[in-house]
Amino acid sequence: MGDYQTPAVVASATSSADAAASKPGAETTSPQDAILYRQLRQKPLNIVGGRGSYILTDDGREILDATCGAAVSCLGHSDERVHGAILEQLQKIPYCYSLYFTNSAAEQLARFLVDSTGGKMSRASIFCSGTEAVEAAAKMAIQYFTELTVPQPQRVKFISRQQSYHGNTLGSLAIGHHVARRGIYEEFLSKNVSHISQCYPYRNMKPDESVDAYVARLAQELDDEFHRLGPDTVCAFVAETMAGATLGCVPPLPGYLKAMKQVCERHGALFILDEVMSGMGRTGTLHAWEQEDVVPDLQTIAKGLGAGYVPVAGLLFNKRVVETLTQGTGSFAHSQTYQGHPVSCAAAYKVQTIIQEDNLLANVRAMGEYFGQLLSEKLGGHPHVGDIRGRGLFWAIEFVEDKSTKKPFAPSKAVAWKVHEAGLKPEHCISLMPGNGGADGRNGDHIVLAPAYNTTKEEVELIVEKTALAVKDVLG
């Protein structure tokens, strides 16, 4: 999963307020405003329409949505085929309670998801958000060990990674490591989660270290953490298959995830992959783990699942987990009001049908390769661009104050947020996703680019051109 932090959480109250006040299109909130905006001292741009890769504001701007919101709107905006599927389901049954009913739309979507893994995952649950899916995965991991023939109820600890993001409820926030979002809630968060290093070669791989040696070092760190905690107390290791917006689109090195799973297997723990942001086609395959020679025990999905037309997410279970529950209590001790929502499931199924029928995964791979090439050509030589990285249509640009030492800008400068603001200026009209804290949790700036799966060569070129201009506005 992934999200960004605004200047309000990376700088002092004064500097962040100043940065907020300068936001293009912002205006002081009035007595008529009823929404509790993320930033109370400013009113965000009001989006009144969408067309293809563009979102339309009430002041007449057409903004190129280079990030699909938060890597969500993977078909662009306003696909009439999805509208039709939603209306059709509304006329059949808009809602039923999954605690004691199922529905055809949920059954159809779950069957598609299971089949899409070649049977490597055997069941699915459908939720409303990635955060909910992560919460459900954590609960399932704990329940799994109570359902074994010889129960291991002491396994209630999780190991996750630094600079990771897995959701914003208290449970998922504890599993993640978004420093700013955890901040004021630290004393309220679960203490049964520990965090190890990310796979982050740009900053953490030694100059004379090979990929194999670096991967082995990270695997050893995980193994050491198991021993520190007590191997029989850990229920799962949780990782984003490809790091999302909090770290900035870092692909796993060859063999990394396989090595981490081997450590989990050695200690009898579950291996959970969070593909809320990187999954459902974003990196070029429907499931990001397909490129990694590894299969998770539990997998979360969300953003690209429904393309933003509905709130929808999912949790996939492999056969081993399902069989353990089947032979135990025969039920999952978890349910939610809108679980398996028929309209959401119908919309998501249509989105996935379109991705297959329009051969969009091939386009993600082809345009992704072109995208990375153009970004490197246009911005790779910039004195304040430290790293350009990504896969498929999921890319990030990391900014540094000093390229030779990789020294990050001070958080108070809010560089990533200012690049985002520059992009929204009428002369550029592009939406870029800012991220902060990637270097160490507090320092570091990057922007994420995640265009729609049906983006064209011309749009890719325009995104790179406009991004370069926004960067130039801020960093010269």
Side-chain angles (χ1 to χ4, degrees):
M1 298 178 69
D3 210 339
Y4 59 84
Q5 58 199 67
T6 63
V9 292
V10 296
S12 68
T14 301
S15 62
S16 60
D18 291 343
S22 67
K23 186 173 182 179
E27 56 186 72
T28 303
T29 57
S30 68
Q32 287 74 40
D33 295 315
I35 294 177
L36 185 72
Y37 299 118
R38 185 161 181 166
Q39 293 293 311
L40 291 178
R41 296 186 182 92
Q42 66 189 46
K43 184 173 182 177
L45 290 172
N46 184 21
I47 304 302
V48 297
R51 182 177 60 250
S53 294
Y54 288 81
I55 49 178
L56 316 176
T57 68
D58 62 357
D59 64 0
R61 272 179 258 186
E62 295 189 4
I63 299 173
L64 180 54
D65 188 4
T67 67
C68 290
V72 174
S73 303
C74 61
L75 297 183
H77 302 279
S78 299
D79 190 304
E80 293 184 358
R81 295 169 291 182
V82 187
H83 295 172
I86 291 171
L87 289 172
E88 182 180 347
Q89 184 60 46
L90 280 171
Q91 292 169 342
K92 291 178 180 177
I93 180 72
Y95 172 76
C96 68
Y97 190 27
S98 66
L99 188 63
Y100 36 76
F101 294 121
T102 186
N103 67 85
S104 297
E107 295 283 352
Q108 185 179 49
L109 178 60
R111 173 47 54 193
F112 166 81
L113 291 171
V114 168
D115 290 348
S116 74
T117 69
K120 293 180 174 67
M121 309 300 278
S122 67
R123 294 289 181 106
S125 286
I126 310 301
F127 303 104
C128 295
S129 72
T131 290
E132 291 177 10
V134 170
E135 289 274 329
K139 291 170 77 173
M140 173 55 78
I142 290 173
Q143 183 179 347
Y144 170 82
F145 287 100
T146 71
E147 301 272 349
L148 295 174
T149 305
V150 179
Q152 300 179 43
Q154 78 280 4
R155 285 190 182 263
V156 294
K157 296 178 182 178
F158 292 86
I159 302 174
S160 184
R161 302 186 301 179
Q162 297 161 359
Q163 285 85 270
S164 61
Y165 185 71
H166 296 290
N168 218 12
T169 53
L170 292 173
S172 59
L173 197 61
I175 291 172
H177 195 256
H178 193 298
V179 173
R181 289 199 164 192
R182 290 170 59 101
I184 62 173
Y185 306 114
E186 282 291 348
E187 293 306 311
F188 200 22
L189 298 180
S190 171
K191 306 305 178 187
N192 68 335
V193 183
S194 61
H195 299 88
I196 61 171
S197 301
Q198 274 275 8
C199 181
Y200 189 10
Y202 172 66
R203 289 197 175 275
N204 296 338
M205 188 171 167
K206 300 173 183 176
D208 59 347
E209 194 171 31
S210 68
V211 169
D212 287 347
Y214 179 46
V215 167
R217 177 160 63 87
L218 292 173
Q220 186 60 55
E221 183 182 355
L222 176 59
D223 190 73
D224 291 344
E225 188 66 6
F226 267 97
H227 285 288
R228 187 185 74 82
L229 296 172
D232 65 347
T233 68
V234 178
C235 64
F237 169 66
V238 186
E240 295 161 288
T241 307
M242 177 172 164
T246 298
L247 190 64
C249 304
V250 181
L253 288 172
Y256 166 73
L257 288 173
K258 188 174 183 179
M260 303 305 266
K261 184 179 181 181
Q262 287 172 345
V263 175
C264 293
E265 291 175 332
R266 186 156 63 245
H267 297 297
L270 295 182
F271 181 67
I272 302 176
L273 289 181
D274 180 345
E275 297 202 355
V276 165
M277 200 169 201
S278 65
M280 303 313 296
R282 175 55 61 188
T283 65
T285 52
L286 197 63
H287 306 288
W289 54 258
E290 293 178 72
Q291 302 172 55
E292 303 303 327
D293 189 28
V294 69
V295 179
D297 294 305
L298 297 167
Q299 173 195 355
T300 60
I301 53 176
K303 297 177 186 289
L305 178 59
Y309 288 87
V310 288
V312 66
L315 173 61
L316 303 183
F317 311 80
N318 75 8
K319 187 176 181 180
R320 174 164 70 109
V321 173
V322 174
E323 285 182 345
T324 297
L325 256 67
T326 302
Q327 295 164 9
T329 61
S331 67
F332 181 18
H334 175 79
S335 69
Q336 294 181 229
T337 300
Y338 295 107
Q339 191 169 329
H341 191 276
V343 177
S344 292
C345 290
Y349 182 75
K350 190 62 179 180
V351 167
Q352 295 309 311
T353 300
I354 292 168
I355 289 172
Q356 300 300 315
E357 291 179 349
D358 290 1
N359 200 26
L360 295 185
L361 295 181
N363 192 62
V364 171
R365 293 190 290 272
M367 291 301 99
E369 184 176 349
Y370 185 52
F371 200 16
Q373 174 190 327
L374 284 187
L375 286 171
S376 295
E377 290 175 0
K378 194 76 174 179
L379 285 162
H382 193 287
H384 294 299
V385 171
D387 193 30
I388 298 172
R389 54 189 179 246
R391 181 183 288 176
L393 288 174
F394 198 34
W395 288 83
I397 304 168
E398 181 170 344
F399 303 111
V400 291
E401 184 172 358
D402 188 306
K403 197 163 184 171
S404 62
T405 64
K406 303 180 184 178
K407 178 186 176 183
F409 285 98
S412 59
K413 293 186 176 180
V415 167
W417 189 257
K418 288 177 181 176
V419 173
H420 162 78
E421 289 178 329
L424 292 178
K425 290 180 179 178
E427 60 265 34
H428 302 319
C429 275
I430 186 171
S431 178
L432 307 169
M433 187 174 187
N436 310 87
D440 58 13
R442 297 190 181 280
N443 296 285
D445 290 273
H446 61 266
I447 56 169
V448 169
L449 297 159
Y453 298 175
N454 50 15
T455 195
T456 64
K457 186 176 181 181
E458 292 72 24
E459 278 186 348
V460 167
E461 292 168 352
L462 188 59
I463 289 170
V464 173
E465 177 186 339
K466 287 176 174 288
T467 300
L469 289 172
V471 171
K472 183 180 179 181
D473 276 5
V474 177
L475 297 173

